[in-house]
Amino acid sequence: MTTGSVLPLLLLGLSGALRAHHEDLTVREACKAGFSEEGYTALISPNVVEGEKLLKVKFSSCVDTKGTQYETNSLDFKVGADGTVFATRELKIPSEQVAFTVTARERQSAEQWDAMVRLLVAQTSSSSAHSEHKKGKTVALDPSQLPKDTLLPWPQQHQSSGGLRRQKRDWVIPPINVPENSRGPFPQQLVRIRSDKDNDIPIRYSITGVGADQPPMEVFNIDSMSGRMYVTRPMDREERASYHLRAHAVDMNGNKVENPIDLYIYVIDMNDNRPEFINQVYNGSVDEGSKPGTYVMTVTANDADDSTTANGMVRYRIVTQTPQSPSQNMFTINSETGDIVTVAAGLDREKVQQYTVIVQATDMEGNLNYGLSNTATAIITVTDVNDNPPEFTTSTFAGEVPENRIETVVANLTVMDRDQPHSPNWNAVYRIISGDPSGHFSVRTDPVTNEGMVTVVKAVDYELNRAFMLTVMVSNQAPLASGIQMSFQSTAGVTISVTDVNEAPYFPSNHKLIRLEEGVPAGTALTTFSAVDPDRFMQQAVRYSKLSDPANWLHINTSNGQITTAAVLDRESLYTKNNVYEATFLAADNGIPPASGTGTLQIYLIDINDNAPQLLPKEAQICERPGLNAINITAADADMDPNIGPYVFELPFIPTTVRKNWTITRLNGDYAQLSLRILYLEAGVYDVPIIVTDSGNPPLSNTSVIKVKVCPCDENGDCTTVGAVAAAGLGTGAIVAILICIVILLTMVLLFVVWMKRREKERHTKQLLIDPEDDVRDNILKYDEEGGEEDQDYDLSQLQQPEAMEHVLSKAPGVRRVDERPVGAEPQYPVRPVVPHPGDIGDFINEGLRAADNDPTAPPYDSLLVFDYEGSGSTAGSVSSLNSSSSGDQDYDYLNDWGPRFKKLADMYGGGEED
């Protein structure tokens, strides 16, 4: 664009609607916050130092400029509180210009405004050539250094001494104000835009931006030929408060004739929205007794209209208060903030627990004639404070308790408290302040009724205290409110009477321990184990008896409790534990009802030397020659120290052979050694008497006999097998004879086994004497008369020769009766050793028993169970000679229980009558 080319902006006029509203807007014009310019431009050098001031923006606030905050969308530039734009760091700008947005915010309304800042980089050697834009005035510079598309609001250029010229501003369009809710008609003209070049060439005009070619679309349009811009429908400021459009001018070929120009359209607010409360019901609370000016709650209403105008300025007031007690104006509200506070004293929860306040919010700064209003409900609850001390309903209470009872409620204390029930201000706390120094009672609070329950926590004794006079004070869990004093009715007296009951006798010394020597004779008085009856005011007799006396050693006098012995007390008895014998006695009175107590008597028995020592061991073994080994002996004594060791071991003088053959050597106080005195002693078992004496006073002696087996020994000192047998009392000749007998017996057993094998083999080769079907034992003869008669058709000769059993052995497998001897391999019974050892006899018997258990020919199959053979020359008569009674008096049904072998007899006799 050349300097001679001037682009004037012709404002042809606003639409008829704007002219109609111009006068009204002038009347209602209010403070308008915003930047002084829509955009600011300054010339800077390519190199900028940190903190360098570049230009200053001016913002007008309707509230207070101190409440304005500035922000930028650039990290390199910031705006100070006074509007000065400065660099945050050292910069070197390579481009021709830098553009960023400055945003201003008001703290109270939270609204924001934007302005564009363009910093043009001067292509000159001078680093200090930059200008500051202030109030639309700019220090001039050479236009040739500026980009061609840059629009600067410069006035007409004039020559100056510095060679710079001022340039006229290209397009200057003031903001276009459009009232909302206009009734038309539409489209309604707003402004006409025209370039001075349209005299030379045809120009086409167009607009772009939100509301034109961007959603919402076609709110605004422009006549492309005349440049007239229209609004097509009513505006709503609450929907969108402003529009930013750009106007374009091109020739018929679409070539740009003028640079685009910014159009700012503001929608003028109308009071078309009522204030709306955030909540329809607000809940708040205030303590009773609060002073005037106490904060209660805050109600808030929002108006969608412009808050910078009277249309959006809301004011509050209280319409009604329910109830109007104690005053109709208990609360007031801040008309601007909506804070509700108390304005009068006298809030008492016990009289009024809740207030309902209707609050009205009106815009137009509360003008009821022109403003729009709305209402909400504020429910104010008067919270309880502890301004009422608890008071007893009566000054005295009474109760009664039997003695020796605990956890028993003896009296209920009732109180009255007008504060909020079941709250810390109402919950009662009871305390006994006098009359119970021993702590027999406590007062617990009933959580439901708030009553005080006087409870016995420590048993009382009628014989010590027959009555108690308690003083009880009541208070609340929460402390009383400031200035509230305790009432004299917060204390009361409680009289508790104690009733006498029959108490059980008791033994003062339980368990009672006495000490005496064991062995005292029966009838000896030991002690008096008497009980005490605590009922001093009752004339009662106490009787004694035994509960536990395990050994039945004691007797107690039923009247006075004297203990005497019924038998000799023995410390070594199984009934004593750790030298103590324990018995339990019962003491019972004759009260109504009777009561009894038990006592335990412990008798510590002192040991006396009443048990002689016993020699250990009872049996021993020694070699027949001395020097190889010896027998260690000791003693056992049932008594305890000092009536036990050290022991004295000695051999008696009679018989003389004892001291001749044996000798005793003392090892220590408890042990000695018994050994041979002579060089050789014949093998055998010898009874050696030894006298053992303890160390008691007086000492006790005992002659014990130890059985000593003398036997030949090997080089290790152990008895040989032959020697062990010899030691059992057998001579050499007897041993040889026994061995010979064992050999002969084994030979006979071997021959018998060979013979049995041969005989069994012969049995298998013989034919059966009779068939199994002809066996007389397989048939049962039916007798119809007394005595019976044998059937001569059967061969009974086999019954006379039971030893001829070849037919049994030759039977085929599977044809065998259960009473026959099984045929199989002979079991292998153990062979007794030639020289038996005493320990081998048991093994021999066990092995024989094990073989017999596994032998199928062993009992019950080791003999032929032939029941129908009477034998040769039997003294028993024939079975047929037995009397058979057919009188019918005998019941033969039991034959059915004897199994299948007696089935025929059961059929014959059991069903005889039916036949």
Side-chain angles (χ1 to χ4, degrees):
M1 209 176 169
T2 63
T3 57
S5 177
V6 179
L7 300 177
L9 175 67
L10 301 179
L11 298 178
L12 300 180
L14 297 174
S15 65
L18 287 177
R19 293 191 186 97
H21 286 283
H22 178 71
E23 184 178 354
D24 181 63
L25 291 174
T26 303
V27 175
R28 297 177 57 186
E29 183 178 1
C31 176
K32 187 70 175 181
F35 286 98
S36 61
E37 300 290 340
E38 296 297 330
Y40 297 87
T41 304
L43 183 65
I44 63 174
S45 64
N47 298 318
V48 180
V49 297
E50 181 180 356
E52 181 180 351
K53 298 180 180 179
L54 305 177
L55 63 96
K56 188 173 184 180
V57 298
K58 183 178 180 181
F59 180 81
S60 298
S61 175
C62 296
V63 183
D64 184 8
T65 56
K66 295 181 179 180
T68 305
Q69 293 180 334
Y70 297 97
E71 297 177 358
T72 69
N73 61 352
S74 174
L75 299 176
D76 299 329
F77 303 96
K78 295 296 181 185
V79 182
D82 59 349
T84 302
V85 179
F86 60 91
T88 60
R89 60 188 179 91
E90 185 177 352
L91 299 173
K92 185 174 183 180
I93 305 173
S95 60
E96 295 180 352
Q97 70 173 358
V98 176
F100 55 90
T101 302
V102 176
T103 302
R105 285 192 175 88
E106 287 188 350
R107 296 179 181 176
Q108 293 186 358
S109 62
E111 289 189 283
Q112 66 180 32
W113 295 263
D114 296 332
M116 180 65 68
V117 175
R118 290 185 178 90
L119 302 178
L120 306 179
V121 180
Q123 305 298 325
T124 177
S125 59
S126 176
S127 61
S128 62
H130 62 272
S131 63
E132 181 181 23
H133 179 272
K134 240 181 184 183
K135 298 183 180 179
K137 297 180 181 180
T138 308
V139 178
L141 69 159
D142 189 357
S144 63
Q145 298 176 354
L146 302 178
K148 292 183 178 181
D149 58 349
T150 302
L151 296 178
L152 293 178
W154 295 335
Q156 183 66 36
Q157 180 176 329
H158 298 281
Q159 188 70 28
S160 65
S161 61
L164 296 177
R165 295 176 300 171
R166 297 180 181 273
Q167 183 176 350
K168 182 181 178 182
R169 183 180 306 178
D170 287 342
W171 297 53
V172 179
I173 294 294
I176 302 171
N177 296 324
V178 180
E180 67 173 334
N181 303 324
S182 176
R183 298 183 179 180
F186 297 100
Q188 190 176 43
Q189 182 178 333
L190 298 179
V191 70
R192 181 181 179 184
I193 302 173
R194 183 171 175 271
S195 174
D196 58 355
K197 291 184 179 181
D198 62 355
N199 296 325
D200 302 328
I201 59 174
I203 296 178
R204 300 180 67 88
Y205 301 95
S206 64
I207 56 175
T208 60
V210 176
D213 60 346
Q214 299 178 19
M217 310 266 300
E218 298 181 353
V219 177
F220 304 96
N221 60 24
I222 189 171
D223 188 320
S224 61
M225 299 306 294
S226 64
R228 289 184 176 89
M229 191 172 72
Y230 300 92
V231 60
T232 62
R233 62 189 182 192
M235 310 300 294
D236 188 356
R237 194 205 67 85
E238 288 71 41
E239 181 180 344
R240 190 175 183 89
S242 64
Y243 296 86
H244 180 198
L245 303 177
R246 303 201 81 183
H248 305 269
V250 297
D251 59 15
M252 301 305 291
N253 296 323
N255 298 319
K256 182 173 67 173
V257 176
E258 301 285 1
N259 291 328
I261 188 172
D262 293 325
L263 299 177
Y264 292 93
I265 301 173
Y266 294 102
V267 181
I268 303 303
D269 183 49
M270 305 294 290
N271 190 19
D272 57 344
N273 290 280
R274 292 179 180 275
E276 295 291 340
F277 283 95
I278 297 177
N279 301 310
Q280 280 301 310
V281 178
Y282 290 83
N283 290 286
S285 62
V286 62
D287 290 340
E288 62 176 330
S290 296
K291 297 180 180 179
T294 303
Y295 172 81
V296 180
M297 62 193 303
T298 299
V299 297
T300 303
N302 297 324
D303 196 317
D305 293 325
D306 189 355
S307 61
T308 62
T309 66
N311 297 335
M313 295 181 179
V314 180
R315 298 296 182 262
Y316 305 92
R317 72 185 187 95
I318 294 178
V319 180
T320 60
Q321 167 197 307
T322 305
Q324 298 180 356
S325 173
S327 170
Q328 61 181 359
N329 295 318
M330 295 298 296
F331 306 95
T332 185
I333 187 170
N334 188 305
S335 62
E336 296 183 0
T337 63
D339 294 340
I340 299 177
V341 297
T342 59
V343 71
L347 290 173
D348 190 352
R349 190 205 64 84
E350 286 72 39
K351 295 180 180 178
V352 179
Q353 298 183 2
Q354 189 178 85
Y355 290 90
T356 301
V357 176
I358 304 300
V359 180
Q360 184 183 60
T362 306
D363 57 16
M364 297 300 293
E365 298 183 283
N367 190 323
L368 299 178
N369 295 325
Y370 304 104
L372 302 177
S373 302
N374 213 337
T375 60
T377 302
I379 298 177
I380 302 174
T381 302
V382 181
T383 56
D384 184 47
V385 297
N386 195 12
D387 57 347
N388 294 282
E391 298 177 349
F392 286 103
T393 56
T394 181
S395 59
T396 58
F397 296 89
E400 185 180 81
V401 59
E403 63 175 333
N404 301 324
R405 293 275 185 87
I406 60 172
E407 298 301 326
T408 302
V409 178
V410 298
N412 289 331
L413 312 181
T414 56
V415 296
M416 180 184 62
D417 195 323
R418 291 173 302 198
D419 289 322
Q420 179 70 39
H422 304 289
S423 68
N425 300 329
W426 178 82
N427 294 335
V429 178
Y430 299 88
R431 182 165 57 93
I432 299 175
I433 58 177
S434 65
D436 186 23
S438 301
H440 291 283
F441 305 93
S442 71
V443 184
R444 301 168 183 172
T445 304
D446 189 317
V448 178
T449 63
N450 213 29
E451 294 181 355
M453 301 179 293
V454 182
T455 307
V456 182
V457 295
K458 183 178 177 182
V460 296
D461 191 350
Y462 175 81
E463 284 71 28
L464 298 179
N465 299 97
R466 299 188 182 184
F468 291 87
M469 298 293 295
L470 308 180
T471 301
V472 181
M473 184 176 69
V474 62
S475 59
N476 292 123
Q477 288 182 352
L480 290 174
S482 178
I484 305 300
Q485 301 295 328
M486 289 291 294
S487 171
F488 71 94
Q489 295 180 350
S490 296
T491 58
V494 181
T495 302
I496 300 176
S497 302
V498 182
T499 59
D500 191 16
V501 296
N502 185 26
E503 299 176 80
Y506 66 94
F507 292 88
S509 55
N510 192 16
H511 300 23
K512 184 176 183 179
L513 178 66
I514 62 174
R515 300 170 62 93
L516 74 155
E517 289 185 349
E518 63 173 332
V520 296
T524 303
L526 302 182
T527 184
T528 299
F529 195 29
S530 58
V532 177
D533 192 346
D535 296 316
R536 294 179 298 171
F537 303 100
M538 297 181 182
Q539 300 299 324
Q540 298 179 149
V542 179
R543 308 290 291 179
Y544 300 91
S545 61
K546 286 194 303 182
L547 277 183
S548 173
D549 184 11
N552 202 22
W553 286 347
L554 305 176
H555 176 268
I556 186 170
N557 189 297
T558 58
S559 299
N560 57 17
Q562 185 181 32
I563 307 295
T564 57
T565 59
V568 177
L569 277 62
D570 186 5
R571 189 197 66 83
E572 291 77 27
S573 171
L574 297 177
Y575 299 106
T576 61
K577 295 181 180 180
N578 298 325
N579 305 328
V580 176
Y581 180 75
E582 190 172 280
T584 306
F585 299 93
L586 178 72
D589 59 22
N590 57 352
I592 300 175
S596 61
T598 60
T600 300
L601 178 66
Q602 293 179 330
I603 304 174
Y604 184 89
L605 297 176
I606 302 173
D607 183 49
I608 63 174
N609 193 18
D610 58 345
N611 292 278
Q614 298 293 326
L615 184 67
L616 294 176
K618 299 298 183 181
E619 295 181 357
Q621 183 175 281
I622 195 172
C623 295
E624 60 185 1
R625 298 185 182 277
L628 295 179
N629 56 9
I631 302 172
N632 290 329
I633 58 176
T634 185
D637 197 326
D639 293 323
M640 58 185 299
D641 192 58
N643 297 321
I644 51 176
Y647 300 103
V648 177
F649 301 91
E650 55 184 350
L651 297 172
F653 292 95
I654 298 174
T656 58
T657 56
V658 175
R659 286 181 170 266
K660 177 182 177 181
N661 296 336
W662 306 91
T663 181
I664 292 179
T665 303
R666 182 182 180 88
L667 296 179
N668 53 39
D670 295 331
Y671 289 91
Q673 279 190 343
L674 176 66
S675 59
L676 288 174
R677 179 186 292 273
I678 59 179
L679 297 179
Y680 172 79
L681 185 62
E682 184 179 358
V685 178
Y686 296 86
D687 291 337
V688 181
I690 298 176
I691 302 173
V692 185
T693 305
D694 60 21
S695 298
N697 186 19
L700 293 181
S701 300
N702 180 38
T703 301
S704 301
V705 176
I706 180 173
K707 290 185 176 294
V708 182
K709 294 181 181 179
V710 180
C711 60
C713 296
D714 54 17
E715 62 276 6
N716 297 325
D718 298 328
C719 286
T720 61
T721 304
V722 177
V725 176
L730 299 177
T732 304
I735 295 174
V736 173
I738 291 173
L739 294 177
I740 293 174
C741 292
I742 292 174
V743 171
I744 294 174
L745 179 61
L746 293 176
T747 303
M748 293 177 63
V749 170
L750 182 60
L751 293 175
F752 177 76
V753 170
V754 172
W755 177 76
M756 288 295 296
K757 291 289 185 181
R758 183 176 180 182
R759 182 178 177 86
E760 183 176 351
K761 186 176 181 180
E762 292 176 354
R763 287 175 181 173
H764 283 293
T765 57
K766 290 185 178 182
Q767 296 291 332
L768 291 174
L769 297 179
I770 58 175
D771 292 334
E773 293 81 1
D774 297 334
D775 193 350
V776 69
R777 291 172 296 177
D778 289 343
N779 295 277
I780 298 178
L781 301 182
K782 179 179 180 182
Y783 298 93
D784 295 328
E785 69 280 342
E786 292 185 6
E789 157 181 326
E790 295 182 358
D791 192 343
Q792 299 300 324
D793 292 340
Y794 291 90
D795 184 9
L796 300 179
S797 60
Q798 301 301 323
L799 299 177
Q800 307 302 325
Q801 301 175 1
E803 65 277 0
M805 297 300 295
E806 290 81 4
H807 68 285
V808 178
L809 298 176
S810 60
K811 282 186 178 181
V815 187
R816 186 173 303 280
R817 299 193 340 203
V818 294
D819 58 349
E820 294 179 359
R821 177 182 179 182
V823 179
E826 291 293 334
Q828 298 298 324
Y829 285 89
V831 180
R832 187 176 180 182
V834 179
V835 182
H837 186 274
D840 296 338
I841 298 176
D843 295 339
F844 178 79
I845 295 174
N846 291 332
E847 291 177 4
L849 177 61
R850 193 180 304 109
D853 290 340
N854 298 325
D855 184 6
T857 63
Y861 303 111
D862 56 349
S863 60
L864 295 178
L865 306 178
V866 184
F867 300 102
D868 53 350
Y869 172 61
E870 297 181 1
S872 178
S874 174
T875 58
S878 174
V879 178
S880 61
S881 62
L882 296 176
N883 248 340
S884 177
S885 174
S886 58
S887 61
D889 294 337
Q890 186 158 347
D891 187 7
Y892 295 98
D893 291 340
Y894 60 86
L895 295 176
N896 294 317
D897 300 330
W898 286 13
R901 295 180 177 275
F902 296 89
K903 186 175 184 307
K904 289 187 178 181
L905 286 176
D907 294 338
M908 292 168 54
Y909 287 90
E913 295 179 0
E914 297 178 2
D915 295 336

